[in-house]
Amino acid sequence: MNRFERGIKESFSVPNPIKKEEFIKKFPKPEMSLSKFVISQIPYVSKVTWALTILMFISVFLAPRILGVKVTWFISGLTPLMALLAVSESSRSQKYNMAQLEASTRFSLRSLLLARMLLLGIVSFVLIIVSVPLGTFYGSFRVFETSLYVITPFLLSASIGLYIVRSIKGNNGFYMVSAISLFISLIMFMGDKYFGFLFLSVGVKYWLMLFMLLLVLTIVESKKLLNNTEDMTWSL
Amino acid sequence: MNNIGTLYRYEIKKIVGKKLFWIMSALLFLLAVFTPFSNLVGSYYESGEKIASNLSFYKEEQAGKMALSGRALDDELFNEAITAYSKVPDVFNYSSTEEYRKYALAYNEVYGFIRTSTGLKFEDIKNWDHDATYVYEKRKENIYLYLEDSFLTDNEIKFWKDNYEKLDKPFTYYYHDAYQILLDSFQTISIILFAFVSIVLSGVFANERQLKTEPIILASKKGKKETFMAKILAGITVSVSVSLILSIILFSLCLGYYTPEGFDYSLTVYFNAATYDISIGEACIIAYLIMQIALVLFSIFVMTLSEVLKNSVAALSVSMLLVILGGMISIPQSFRAIGQIWDWLPVSYLAIWNMFDERTFPIFGKCILSWQIVPIIYIFLSLILYMIAKYKYKKVSVE
Amino acid sequence: MELVIDRLSKQYGSKIAVDRISAKLGKGVYGLLGANGAGKTTLMRMICGILKPTSGSVSFDGIDSEEEDFRAILGYLPQDFGYYPDFNAYDFLFYLSSLKAIPKKEAKAKINELLEVVGLREVAKKKIKTYSGGMKQRLGIAQALLNDPKLLILDEPTAGLDPKERVRFRNLIEKLGKDCIVLLSTHIVSDIEHISDEVLIMKDGSFIFQGKWNDKESSLEDFYLSQFEEGEDSE
């Protein structure tokens, strides 16, 4: 502010505003589109989740150099952990008793859940899209088999996890989801050494059937979780 | 004592009352029931054509092997095996030919013995003109070479060579499928059991904080020392009981279906590196007994984590990570000390190639075998961990 | 029978949660009042020996709060306590009886008696996870009384109880206060208005009032509020 502006300010008193609130209310409230809402949720996804996701991406890129042909099992062991992160983020409202507050906001709990599931679903999808070619190139299976071995454990972990968080509230449910996802990861990490019979070429058709079944189950459970938001606010 | 008994029973109830316990137990038992028969399921295919069911294939093989059981691995048996294999066409997939099934199938383990001892390739069978003395000499030569390349001390190399000399030769062949399956599935079963313990015991202490029952427990007369003991005992009871039941089921199924024959089969014939006088049956018993002791140590470790971290998911993640790393990582033998320590950790040790390998524990110039010393180390470590956890729990508060 | 609190303090970093509190409590009912964050729960936890004080000590008839014998005479109801979802009321109380070293036979009789007193006899075999908030609170009260405690510490015991249950509870506490030391913290002034022998008002980790109040001069609520106003004036 220069000395003239200062001089004018000192010389003249500004009249008190009249009908200030009514005037401000005339301005249209800024609206938020659904896509903007989804993007706005990015910083509200837990930092630990983002950190672990980044770590997973780094591991996927480094794995071929370190593990060579065993990279397929490593990647297929990572994807259930990605599903665990996605499911646990989706159930945060329940876990921290925020469901009632979130249910009463403009973007309802249902939209919030959808936004979180979309966000982490997209990230998981990117991880899988990146992993499959790497797994195929460095591993010992063809594209089709690698895709099945990478995606199926993800869907298994996701479908079971979504069912559990819907049925069992609180820390108990979260623990069960963690335990089951870690167990699936363990089976896949150890796949070549101890569970080789699961990866024989004769078994591919069973993997395909399991994949289709789990894809349907994951979609059904996701829908049920979204429709179940009313139940989350029931505090008993 | 009455109160500790009641506390102990309630702690067990807390562990087994969870759905996850029953889900994991069911998975374990399914695995135990499926494992002995996993090779018999399905069919054998060649170029998309079904050749035979695995079961019928196995039945033929079993009959053949049983007919040879009890015979010495000597000139007569070797010549029979070579003659049988000579009738098999020299093609890439020779093991799927009719001739193989008809003549050679029963002799596959005898042929395997010759092959691992002498390096004989299938295509050179028709030119074989050696005898049993040659086979045993070559075997000895290869084993001695292996010992010298295994980064062992001079004392250890001498120890193993002396042991090998003491073994009665020629070895006797026995049909031993029951014990082979028990040993082959040993590490898989162990890994799943460790995962089971991680999942079931990670919340033993942490759950009290998460469920908000900790203040009431700590404010009770028996809320510290006795509660701690009851929890530890309950955790150990659950893990060892499940493991014992699993082992009994596995032994019963294997010995029941495949017969107990072959108990006295020399382990060194099955596993070259084990050049000492122990049978495959004894090895099975030792392995599964050590598994129980390892589980006690791992259970106390998981419960200690649960107490220290005060978070069941954190305890679960750390212990499962160790199980995964133990199964995935192997340290080269050239790093003798670190490699031995790593391979002797419970998460890595429960594997035949670690339990019966050639690395020993030297005490006053004597070489103590790993399976003789490791259980003692585990018991000692269990006591140390117990003391640490007890000390930690004594100082616990609701902060 | 005397509970001695000697210069008890608890500090978390730079925040002093409890600031050199001293008191000698004999038989009777003591109402502990204070705003949220005054330090009531922290104080009660230290008295129970489940939270280590930064300094100071607590003893009952010469027995230090860290000793097993202290916990033998203690009954404690935390403000926010949990339960094992798969346990029923019998299981829960039997389990706590064993924690309190009560022999089985005696425990059985005591549990039946207490379930009757708190009105949970009919639902005793149902799993706790099916109970309402008030039922869980009543179960909590029952477990605090299992070992006939000489020192009863109750942190917001009437939370979740309906008016009728609160009256029952008040009568029970009044009766208990004749034979033991009862320290009861609450936001509901009427809970202690007519049954407390002494009132302890806590603010910012210290007692700003400790003593009897004259119910003829004003209601306890007015008296309680006036203590805060006096405190603010002196600042």
Side-chain angles (χ1 to χ4, degrees), chain C residues 16-74:
Chain C
I16 299 174
V18 172
D19 190 7
R20 284 163 301 164
I21 281 191
S22 294
K24 281 187 180 159
L25 310 181
K27 248 189 250 186
V29 180
Y30 298 83
L32 180 59
L33 293 171
N36 290 329
K40 303 190 297 297
T41 297
T42 309
L43 173 64
M44 286 181 142
R45 283 176 167 182
M46 286 194 288
I47 292 172
C48 291
I50 63 169
L51 181 65
K52 242 183 148 51
T54 310
S55 62
S57 66
V58 175
S59 59
F60 181 89
D61 286 348
I63 308 167
D64 191 86
S65 62
E66 289 193 21
E67 290 174 45
E68 205 177 275
D69 289 338
F70 181 93
R71 297 198 298 274
I73 52 87
L74 174 68

Side-chain angles (χ1 to χ4, degrees), chain B residues 3 6-7 9-11 13-14 17 208 211-213 216-222 227 397-399, chain C residues 10 45 50-51 68 71-72 74 80-84 86-87 91 94-96 98-99 101-102 104 143:
Chain B
N3 289 121
T6 311
L7 280 176
R9 276 196 301 277
Y10 273 112
E11 291 298 335
K13 185 181 163 93
K14 285 185 211 172
E208 303 295 359
L211 285 173
K212 297 180 188 174
T213 47
I216 297 178
I217 292 171
L218 292 177
S220 306
K221 186 177 180 188
K222 303 288 179 189
T227 296
S397 73
V398 293
E399 252 169 312
Chain C
K10 183 67 184 173
R45 283 176 167 182
I50 63 169
L51 181 65
E68 205 177 275
R71 297 198 298 274
L74 174 68
D80 181 19
F81 73 95
Y83 54 91
Y84 305 111
D86 293 324
F87 278 25
D91 288 328
F94 262 116
Y95 171 62
L96 282 163
S98 60
L99 277 173
I102 302 170
K104 236 180 179 165
Q143 66 78 28

Side-chain angles (χ1 to χ4, degrees), chain A residues 67 70 74 168 171-172 174-176 178-180 182-187 189-190 193-195 197 202 205, chain B residues 18-20 23-24 27 34 187-188 191-192 195 198-199 202-203 210 312-313 316-317 320 323-324 327-328:
Chain A
L67 298 168
K70 294 180 188 179
F74 179 77
I168 301 173
N171 268 322
N172 216 13
F174 179 61
Y175 183 82
M176 271 186 92
S178 306
I180 287 170
L182 281 165
F183 186 72
I184 297 169
S185 280
L186 173 81
I187 302 290
F189 280 134
M190 305 282 137
K193 232 173 164 178
Y194 310 116
F195 305 102
F197 60 88
V202 291
K205 61 176 181 280
Chain B
K18 294 194 163 35
K19 278 191 193 117
L20 209 45
I23 294 170
M24 287 304 300
L27 276 171
F34 174 72
Q187 194 172 16
T188 309
I191 294 241
I192 303 294
S198 293
I199 289 169
S202 286
Q210 284 164 339
S312 50
V313 174
L316 170 69
S317 307
M320 281 289 256
V323 174
I324 290 168
M328 281 178 80

Side-chain angles (χ1 to χ4, degrees), chain A residues 76-105:
Chain A
S76 58
L78 272 187
T79 54
L81 299 177
M82 188 67 229
L84 168 62
L85 289 177
V87 168
S88 68
E89 269 308 311
S90 305
S91 62
R92 271 183 96 203
S93 301
Q94 255 200 83
K95 196 178 162 205
Y96 295 107
N97 281 324
M98 281 294 292
Q100 284 181 88
L101 277 175
E102 287 165 351
S104 59
T105 57

Side-chain angles (χ1 to χ4, degrees), chain C residues 142-162:
Chain C
Q143 66 78 28
L145 301 174
L146 273 171
N147 56 331
D148 293 321
K150 293 196 184 113
L151 173 62
L152 190 56
I153 308 287
L154 307 167
D155 198 346
E156 312 244 6
T158 58
L161 298 183
D162 65 40

